[in-house]
Amino acid sequence: MAENREPRGAVEAELDPVEYTLRKRLPHRLPRRPNDIYVNMKTDFKAQLARCQKLLDGGARGQNSCNEIYIHGLGLAINRAINIALQLQAGSFGSLQVAANTSTVELVDELEPETDTREPLTRIRNNSAIHIRVFRVTPK
Amino acid sequence: MSNAKERKHAKKMRNQPTNVTLSSGFMADRGTKHYNGGGKSFQAQKQELLPGTSRPRHSKMIHHSPVDPDVNEQSSSKIMFKKKGGWKAGPEGTSQEIPKYITASTFAQARAAEISAMLKAVTQKSSNSLVFQTLPRHMRRRAMSHNVKRLPRRLQEIAQKEAEKAVHQKKEHSKNKCHRARRCHKNRVLEFNRRQKKNIWLETHIWHAKRFHMVKKWGYCLGERPTVKSHRACYRAMTNRCLLQDLSYYCCLELKGKEEEILKALSPMCSIDTGLTFAAVHYLSGKRQGSVILYRANKYPREMLGPVTFIWKPEWTPGHASESRQLWIWLHPTLKQDILEEIKAACQCMEPIKSTVCTPESLLTPSQEKSQTELPDERIGKKRKRKDDGENAKPVKKVIGDGTRDPHQPYSWVSPATGVIISDLTMEMNRLRLIGPLSHSILTEALKAASVHTEGEDTEKTPHHWWIETCKNPDSVSLHHKQEAIFELLGGITSPAEIPAGTILGLTVGDPRINLPQKRSRVLPNPEKCQDNEKVRQLLLEGVPVDCAHSFIWNQAICKNVTENKISDQDLNRKRSELLVPGSQLVLGPRESKIPILLIQQPGRVTGDDRRGWGSGWDVLLPKGWGMAFWIPFIYRGARVGGLKEAVVHSQYKRSPDVPGDFPDCPAGVLFAEEQANGLLEKYKRRPPAKRPNYVKLGTLAPFCYPWEQLTQEWESRVQAQEKSPVASSPHGEESNLKREKVPCTPTPEKSDQLSDELGMSLSSPSEPREVMDTERPAQMGTEWVTGPAATSSLLCVLR
């Protein structure tokens, strides 16, 4: 993303270190237990799936199982989040249900100046996010 | 039967009633593999703690005739015995049928012997450890072997009983103090002052000394790493929670004067190629902290001095165009001597300001002539001989801040020509660094903005006149409220990385010791504070407005006032004990100290795609004397403390270079490399020759140091050789050839004889700005053109 610049810095080119709003803020009703899972494209899919499964099942000796978990995905990870939710549902023999919400998240890009005379600028982009609630229902 | 086996069996059986036998391998030879179902159900009854998984195993066991002794031992060990030992009740060798039902009372009667044995074994400690060895590591204290009060209450009785055992009794002590106690200094503070003369102590030194491995470096005694094994814990604290460090050893240089003069003096020392300089707009206004690499005047790219960070004091009234500005430059102590000299030369500030050494106190104690250091008036700490204890009423105070400096050396210089005053403010301010996402929560919990002084309480004489004066000014009051509002917003932001890098927020807070929690606990992020409203959005986008970066800490007089009027811990505790309701909040009202602080945001990792913002945090600047008062509240809210090692790890994971180790071309870096090489060589020599790694065979050219000069010289010569072949290509031609990994090309040295270490240094120094630039410009892949002075003009492109 570097723009070409003349040697002597004549052109006031600005670089683009992208600064995301780092952890997208958790929804207001933040549960005390870590029921929230943020999905990204870097971690292995199977690992993320296993983590969600473990949260729902009750994990190691200390953790109680959560009745519901929230899966969040941003941008490209929306696909993955949906995939994980559906796989959880498929593997649960009908005891899990999903409910999804979408939202728009603002991402901030910071443009740092190259020369002394310019001020840093911020640019805002919008990106879509999905929040899927996976919860256990008692079969009637 | 072997002796060992006998003894082992005896050990297992020693607490058992006689009718119990062991069905371990010892007895298995005798063929007793039968199981008493009654015994089994007894076990099942007795332990509610038995995990569900072993129950099916039990039922399996009943059907199996070969009893698995291991499972037996394991299950019964879960009951309450620490040793393994299964047993079966009943005479050995008999096989009994499993009863279909049991009556509880008769059953319990029959088993009474076992029950009593079990109870007896529980009360008796069977392990060899003393009771305080069972405590977790972070609760053990050094003196607990002879001072039971250091243990938690529930263990004190047991410890006392143990201590009274004859084994642990020490010899009778004489009435006079022991050898060591007699030699102990009567006045601990004097002793500490004396010890600090060689290596300066930070304000949190004693706290660190109890918990850290200390190391003497750079003229300071610093904590290197915690004594508990906590590398992973500190990493986790930096990633998910909060790590706290005391960086008060960072030196501060203050420049006061007209803006143009200061800029004129400093601009030859830095270069735009390495990044924004002192004059960048958003740094100049005081809105953000900047960082720059300093070189000797006009000598870029050679003779690098080191990286520094700086803050301008924001102008109080923007339209005012006040001529005098203040600039604080923060640097690592190793770089201080060189940079100070260079700045003095640049500003032409050669005249030292004589500190007003009027010593009325020293006249009172003529015996002080013997002691070398007569501290001048403005110092806080005073040193007195032991004998004078009775005479003067004033107690000896700990040496802090200015007192740590040599009184005979000047620390302030003025330039007659430019009117610039340089002061050396080392140890005048404390700098605490919090790293990690929870730093916001800890800051907002521990610090509360100072309450505004209302008119009605004017009649009381408070020592905080400066605050009263400020409160009379409505502009200041509104500014204070604005700062307070922004500070409150911080509590709702999940991570410091969301705020623009280097943001500065000034604040005046009340005494943090007042609402110190009773117990040490971990602060959790408060979800109610996470509001997604307009103000937060503005904070994230634009940062803190310029006027809110103002703080009274810039004013030396106010800082001094605040330090002198600090309520001592003893007085504070006494006031707490006088409260009517013990444990309630102590309210001091207008007598509470108001402390001006400055909060500076530190950006975390900025390069790369992965984990952007890792390791971001806040630096808190405090006036001297208040270090411990802020330190303990932060720790009581769950901050973990790290030392020098954690700082190295932090900059390593943050992909930013670490002073002085990662700057090999500045003089401090050279020194560091030498010391490191010496250290490694010593370690190498300590090993026996046969066990040393054979570096010749391994092919390591330089096992103990990095031969940067040799490397750059070889590059140079290689490039020269290349150049002699056909085309001496123009710079533009070179630009297209360059790829990332490629070694640099085409210097055009006019005097190759001048290739000394100096040039070698200079060749490597553009790599330093590259490195530092990388932290600021992650995506830059362009070339770096350096046109130095004409004599050795070398066009270099050093890439990483």
Side-chain angles (χ1 to χ4, degrees):
Chain A
M1 282 165 282
E3 288 142 28
N4 290 330
R5 57 186 194 96
E6 308 290 320
R8 275 329 223 146
V11 174
E12 281 161 341
E14 285 170 333
L15 290 188
D16 221 357
V18 177
E19 180 197 319
Y20 287 162
T21 53
L22 189 62
R23 292 286 169 75
K24 297 150 291 288
R25 282 184 234 121
L26 298 176
H28 291 278
R29 294 171 301 281
L30 169 64
R32 232 162 275 147
R33 260 156 344 175
N35 280 13
D36 285 286
I37 304 231
Y38 287 87
V39 175
N40 63 2
M41 299 301 288
K42 291 175 212 142
T43 323
D44 199 29
F45 177 79
K46 276 202 186 146
Q48 289 173 339
L49 184 62
R51 204 167 133 217
C52 295
Q53 192 67 43
K54 206 157 89 155
L55 268 186
L56 280 171
D57 285 343
R61 322 154 42 200
Q63 280 283 56
N64 297 332
S65 70
C66 313
N67 280 331
E68 57 177 16
I69 63 172
Y70 291 86
I71 304 179
H72 308 272
L74 179 72
L76 192 53
I78 291 181
N79 263 344
R80 194 170 268 201
I82 296 176
N83 204 348
I84 288 184
L86 290 178
Q87 291 229 3
L88 285 175
Q89 194 186 20
S92 71
F93 305 113
S95 68
L96 292 176
Q97 286 217 352
V98 297
N101 283 342
T102 54
S103 67
T104 310
V105 172
E106 282 181 353
L107 300 178
V108 180
D109 293 351
E110 219 184 52
L111 304 168
E112 278 181 24
E114 282 279 321
T115 59
D116 278 347
T117 46
R118 285 236 170 171
E119 285 245 8
L121 297 176
T122 51
R123 208 161 49 186
I124 306 185
R125 295 179 282 133
N126 281 335
N127 213 337
S128 39
I130 193 170
H131 314 277
I132 311 176
R133 178 169 162 246
V134 181
F135 53 100
R136 212 180 282 278
V137 286
T138 48
K140 301 240 166 81
Chain B
M1 230 67 73
S2 68
N3 222 2
K5 270 201 172 177
E6 265 184 10
R7 275 188 273 130
K8 198 173 168 196
H9 178 67
K11 196 171 164 192
K12 280 185 185 170
M13 295 294 289
R14 72 178 173 200
N15 278 342
Q16 307 296 328
T18 45
N19 59 346
V20 161
T21 57
L22 200 61
S23 67
S24 59
F26 186 65
M27 306 304 255
D29 306 342
R30 311 216 185 162
T32 57
K33 296 200 181 31
H34 286 288
Y35 228 87
N36 193 354
K40 259 303 143 202
S41 50
F42 162 66
Q43 284 181 20
Q45 253 188 358
K46 263 293 167 188
Q47 32 179 324
E48 295 87 24
L49 316 166
L50 190 66
T53 50
S54 54
R55 251 183 230 124
R57 214 184 286 151
H58 276 277
S59 48
K60 257 195 274 173
M61 295 314 295
I62 291 175
H63 302 301
H64 276 358
S65 38
V67 164
D68 190 0
D70 292 345
V71 175
N72 207 356
E73 292 175 0
Q74 181 195 28
S75 60
S76 52
S77 73
K78 282 200 178 95
I79 297 177
M80 272 166 268
F81 281 95
K82 293 199 179 93
K83 318 182 280 300
K84 292 190 200 163
W87 72 79
K88 58 179 177 59
E92 96 193 353
T94 62
S95 63
Q96 294 184 359
E97 290 178 2
I98 307 167
K100 298 235 171 23
Y101 57 87
I102 54 169
T103 334
S105 47
T106 46
F107 183 73
Q109 264 180 353
R111 302 281 91 80
E114 284 144 7
I115 299 173
S116 65
M118 207 180 316
L119 288 177
K120 193 168 126 200
V122 170
T123 51
Q124 270 181 7
K125 217 163 36 63
S126 53
S127 57
N128 282 334
S129 64
L130 301 170
V131 72
F132 41 80
Q133 287 172 327
T134 56
L135 273 177
R137 278 182 289 184
H138 64 271
M139 289 175 70
R140 292 186 203 162
R141 293 290 174 263
R142 175 180 288 187
M144 61 188 181
S145 59
H146 56 82
N147 185 0
V148 275
K149 294 215 173 138
R150 298 254 176 200
L151 287 163
R153 294 250 172 91
R154 58 188 171 90
L155 296 175
Q156 277 181 11
E157 287 181 13
I158 312 175
Q160 239 171 6
K161 271 186 239 159
E162 273 176 9
E164 282 159 23
K165 271 199 240 173
V167 181
H168 299 284
Q169 280 284 351
K170 281 199 175 158
K171 291 180 274 199
E172 277 280 335
H173 284 301
S174 62
K175 247 191 168 175
N176 303 329
K177 288 191 234 173
C178 71
H179 180 80
R180 190 168 178 215
R182 266 181 269 137
R183 291 180 166 255
C184 183
H185 205 280
K186 263 210 183 106
N187 193 339
R188 224 199 278 170
V189 184
L190 279 182
E191 176 65 19
F192 291 164
N193 290 352
R194 180 193 69 85
R195 271 196 238 162
Q196 277 190 55
K197 289 230 295 259
K198 195 159 176 227
N199 292 94
I200 303 180
W201 285 5
L202 302 177
E203 285 191 23
T204 50
H205 175 90
I206 298 186
W207 191 95
H208 280 292
K210 286 189 199 168
R211 297 160 180 86
F212 275 62
H213 293 291
M214 306 299 286
V215 74
K216 297 195 165 87
K217 253 187 175 177
W218 312 317
Y220 294 88
C221 197
L222 303 171
E224 196 201 337
R225 63 183 202 280
T227 45
V228 292
K229 179 174 164 194
S230 60
H231 179 93
R232 294 252 339 132
C234 289
Y235 171 77
R236 266 179 268 134
M238 282 194 270
T239 318
N240 303 325
R241 290 186 273 274
C242 182
L243 189 81
L244 177 62
Q245 283 178 308
D246 188 0
L247 294 183
S248 309
Y249 57 90
Y250 261 66
C251 307
C252 178
L253 299 178
E254 187 189 41
L255 273 79
K256 270 200 268 212
K258 294 194 199 153
E259 188 180 303
E260 306 93 41
E261 299 292 336
I262 298 182
L263 287 177
K264 206 168 69 176
L266 290 176
S267 56
M269 287 179 71
C270 43
S271 159
I272 188 70
D273 289 329
T274 62
L276 299 176
T277 66
F278 290 97
V281 178
H282 51 286
Y283 299 152
L284 200 52
S285 60
K287 201 169 172 186
R288 303 221 188 150
Q289 173 186 252
S291 70
V292 81
I293 300 189
L294 291 185
Y295 295 80
R296 289 206 191 272
N298 298 321
K299 287 268 175 52
Y300 174 81
R302 279 179 260 134
E303 300 192 38
M304 183 182 97
L305 290 176
V308 299
T309 57
F310 61 92
I311 322 173
W312 285 95
K313 177 182 172 188
E315 289 163 345
W316 177 216
T317 42
H320 188 69
S322 52
E323 288 290 334
S324 173
R325 306 254 357 232
Q326 260 176 292
L327 171 68
W328 276 348
I329 303 181
W330 291 88
L331 33 100
H332 197 267
T334 40
L335 314 169
K336 180 175 136 182
Q337 275 311 108
D338 302 316
I339 293 190
L340 187 56
E341 294 304 320
E342 194 56 35
I343 293 187
K344 269 167 38 184
C347 300
Q348 301 149 18
C349 286
M350 283 319 190
E351 287 181 24
I353 296 181
K354 289 274 185 306
S355 49
T356 51
V357 187
C358 70
T359 54
E361 285 84 358
S362 61
L363 294 176
L364 295 172
T365 56
S367 55
Q368 210 181 355
E369 284 158 9
K370 284 190 219 156
S371 60
Q372 281 281 356
T373 55
E374 284 194 355
L375 305 177
D377 186 19
E378 54 214 14
R379 305 293 162 81
I380 302 271
K382 288 176 24 167
K383 193 168 159 206
R384 286 171 34 232
K385 290 259 184 172
R386 256 196 263 177
K387 293 174 202 137
D388 296 346
D389 250 309
E391 291 176 16
N392 282 346
K394 212 170 181 183
V396 174
K397 291 210 194 159
K398 196 170 108 181
V399 169
I400 44 172
D402 265 348
T404 56
R405 261 184 288 186
D406 190 359
H408 296 297
Q409 275 189 5
Y411 53 96
S412 200
W413 298 266
V414 73
S415 152
T418 55
V420 173
I421 305 178
I422 303 179
S423 322
D424 180 4
L425 294 183
T426 320
M427 298 302 283
E428 283 291 312
M429 274 175 288
N430 288 320
R431 191 176 180 124
L432 303 182
R433 176 169 286 185
L434 292 121
I435 305 169
L438 281 197
S439 34
H440 281 169
S441 322
I442 290 185
L443 277 176
T444 42
E445 292 273 324
L447 305 177
K448 296 277 180 262
S451 50
V452 179
H453 194 83
T454 52
E455 288 296 331
E457 297 152 22
D458 216 16
T459 50
E460 291 187 35
K461 266 263 167 180
T462 64
H464 312 290
H465 294 297
W466 64 275
W467 185 241
I468 302 176
E469 295 305 315
T470 341
C471 292
K472 292 195 180 138
N473 184 353
D475 284 338
S476 325
V477 173
S478 70
L479 180 64
H480 177 75
H481 285 308
K482 261 168 73 175
Q483 288 175 334
E484 192 179 339
I486 295 184
F487 186 63
E488 291 300 316
L489 286 182
L490 277 189
I493 301 179
T494 2
S495 149
E498 300 189 19
I499 300 185
T503 308
I504 302 180
L505 175 64
L507 199 54
T508 313
V509 296
D511 199 335
R513 296 173 291 178
I514 297 206
N515 50 348
L516 192 62
Q518 294 284 348
K519 260 181 98 166
R520 187 168 141 176
S521 61
R522 206 175 283 154
V523 134
L524 292 169
N526 193 348
E528 278 132 43
K529 285 196 188 168
C530 303
Q531 292 169 32
D532 215 356
N533 58 15
E534 186 57 40
K535 281 186 261 180
V536 177
R537 196 164 165 270
Q538 199 187 19
L539 176 67
L540 295 187
L541 288 183
E542 290 158 27
V544 169
V546 181
D547 45 352
C548 289
H550 173 85
S551 164
F552 291 107
I553 201 174
W554 288 95
N555 189 334
Q556 293 293 346
I558 292 183
C559 282
K560 200 164 142 213
N561 190 340
V562 167
T563 309
E564 280 167 4
N565 292 321
K566 175 184 170 200
I567 306 177
S568 75
D569 285 332
Q570 199 180 21
D571 293 337
L572 199 66
N573 288 334
R574 201 178 301 141
K575 289 199 175 113
R576 266 209 202 111
S577 65
E578 286 164 10
L579 276 179
L580 286 179
V581 179
S584 63
Q585 181 89 328
L586 179 65
V587 178
L588 288 179
R591 275 191 309 264
E592 183 184 340
S593 312
K594 321 277 190 276
I595 306 126
I597 64 173
L598 205 59
L599 294 166
I600 308 171
Q601 194 260 7
Q602 300 295 327
R605 182 166 160 177
V606 288
T607 60
D609 274 333
D610 203 19
R611 296 222 184 206
R612 207 169 288 128
W614 187 92
S616 52
W618 287 90
D619 276 8
V620 185
L621 286 183
L622 318 162
K624 69 183 176 196
W626 284 90
M628 279 308 272
F630 281 76
W631 184 255
I632 299 286
F634 287 154
I635 293 185
Y636 266 48
R637 289 185 169 91
R640 189 173 267 274
V641 179
L644 291 178
K645 179 172 153 234
E646 278 74 36
V648 169
V649 168
H650 179 227
S651 44
Q652 185 185 351
Y653 279 54
K654 220 171 55 153
R655 297 268 200 97
S656 66
D658 176 52
V659 188
D662 289 335
F663 290 94
D665 47 350
C666 65
V670 170
L671 206 62
F672 176 81
E674 268 176 30
E675 283 170 8
Q676 199 186 41
N678 286 340
L680 289 174
L681 191 61
E682 285 299 311
K683 214 165 118 178
Y684 178 79
K685 282 191 197 158
R686 255 183 266 152
R687 303 180 95 182
K691 305 278 190 277
R692 294 179 192 159
N694 186 349
Y695 288 122
V696 173
K697 206 162 188 190
L698 290 171
T700 316
L701 289 174
F704 304 124
C705 61
Y706 296 108
W708 294 113
E709 301 109 38
Q710 192 183 354
L711 185 66
T712 46
Q713 277 174 24
E714 283 177 9
W715 280 348
E716 270 255 357
S717 51
R718 195 194 307 175
V719 156
Q720 271 182 38
Q722 215 181 42
E723 217 207 12
K724 277 174 188 136
S725 61
V727 187
S729 30
S730 68
H732 289 286
E734 291 311 311
E735 195 172 353
S736 52
N737 288 346
L738 284 170
K739 292 176 202 110
R740 246 198 154 179
E741 321 291 299
K742 237 190 168 167
V743 146
C745 48
T746 62
T748 57
E750 291 170 4
K751 293 163 197 160
S752 48
D753 316 336
Q754 280 193 1
L755 283 183
S756 54
D757 283 358
E758 201 188 341
L759 188 54
M761 296 295 228
S762 77
L763 286 174
S764 61
S765 64
S767 65
E768 297 319 310
R770 170 66 45 210
E771 218 177 338
V772 178
M773 281 180 85
D774 275 349
T775 65
E776 292 169 8
R777 292 146 224 279
Q780 181 170 5
M781 288 164 42
T783 62
E784 177 63 38
W785 296 104
V786 164
T787 53
T792 48
S793 64
S794 44
L795 290 176
L796 284 174
C797 7
V798 180
L799 300 176
R800 295 255 158 148

